[in-house]
Amino acid sequence: DYDMKFSNTKRHAVTPTGWCIHNDRPYWIIPNSWGEDSGDRGILYIDCKRPIYDVITYSFDIVPVKTKRKRIEFVMGSSEFTADGEVKTFETAPYIKNGRTYLPVRFVAENLGASVEWNAETGTATIRSEEAIITISDRSNVLTINGEATQMDVCPEIANGRMMAPIRFIAQALNCTVDWEKKENKAVITAL
């Protein structure tokens, strides 16, 4: 804990939770202990090359760190899902097509603690978390995990304005397992 002697700065603690690359520079990801109500949206990016005690700035353009749920359950055809027992809703229900289960990419990723950026021009979603940076496109069956190409057996697709995809590759890259409960027509994602 560093005592910052600035009139508009209060003394508090922060904990690095991960790191990322932005403009070819490494940055620590640090949730602010004051949380989202502090006016800084709850997160700091700090250049890894600077001593943490030397940094007093933050950005208003950074998405806050999300909580990673332990268990997420999707029932095919239902617009509700559960995340650690909490019932949530979304616009596009999961479905099965040609023997493959399609789940909404954004809702899965965000409930696994990741942020999602959508580029409508390229049809690409970028998923960022402590475990991985994943890019996936509705125009290709190849996704990248930390820059390495991985081929899926089908392409993601857009349904009702949402990217839907077989989620196993994404979940595994985010350190989770995916199980299919046939009797209940349900996909279960469990964080390891």
Side-chain angles (χ1 to χ4, degrees):
D1 191 28
Y2 181 74
D3 188 9
M4 293 184 271
K5 299 177 188 221
F6 298 95
S7 60
N8 63 348
T9 306
K10 295 179 182 176
R11 182 177 176 165
H12 74 289
V14 294
T15 303
T17 59
W19 66 278
C20 66
I21 301 292
H22 179 68
N23 292 334
D24 296 322
R25 294 188 66 138
Y27 288 85
W28 293 110
I29 301 171
I30 301 181
N32 188 334
S33 64
W34 291 329
E36 292 184 30
D37 295 332
S38 66
D40 65 5
R41 300 178 116 190
I43 191 169
L44 310 167
Y45 275 3
I46 298 177
D47 190 323
C48 290
K49 295 183 180 184
R50 293 189 69 184
I52 291 176
Y53 60 78
D54 193 33
V55 178
I56 61 168
T57 61
Y58 55 81
S59 169
F60 286 96
D61 298 321
I62 299 170
V63 177
V65 168
K66 297 172 174 47
T67 301
K68 184 173 186 174
R69 304 299 184 132
K70 303 279 188 242
R71 182 179 173 95
I72 308 168
E73 300 178 11
F74 291 87
V75 176
M76 297 306 105
S78 174
S79 61
E80 292 185 343
F81 69 99
T82 60
D84 290 344
E86 179 184 348
V87 178
K88 298 185 170 200
T89 60
F90 50 93
E91 300 88 1
T92 306
Y95 53 88
I96 298 173
K97 181 177 176 181
N98 297 326
R100 301 296 292 156
T101 303
Y102 286 78
L103 298 175
V105 171
R106 178 175 297 277
F107 292 98
V108 172
E110 288 182 345
N111 280 280
L112 293 176
S115 65
V116 181
E117 301 158 22
W118 173 248
N119 183 324
E121 195 173 300
T122 63
T124 302
T126 302
I127 302 164
R128 298 178 193 277
S129 78
E130 293 177 29
E131 291 95 352
I133 297 175
I134 304 162
T135 58
I136 184 171
S137 171
D138 65 345
R139 300 168 191 174
S140 172
N141 66 337
V142 175
L143 60 78
T144 63
I145 301 171
N146 295 326
E148 293 187 26
T150 301
Q151 188 162 350
M152 300 182 292
D153 54 353
V154 295
C155 287
E157 58 188 36
I158 303 298
N160 298 325
R162 295 287 177 188
M163 179 181 274
M164 307 291 285
I167 218 72
R168 186 172 305 276
F169 292 99
I170 294 170
Q172 289 174 344
L174 298 177
N175 201 25
C176 299
T177 61
V178 181
D179 295 302
W180 175 248
E181 296 184 3
K182 185 175 181 179
K183 188 176 180 181
E184 297 181 52
N185 208 28
K186 178 167 63 177
V188 178
I189 302 169
T190 307
L192 300 175

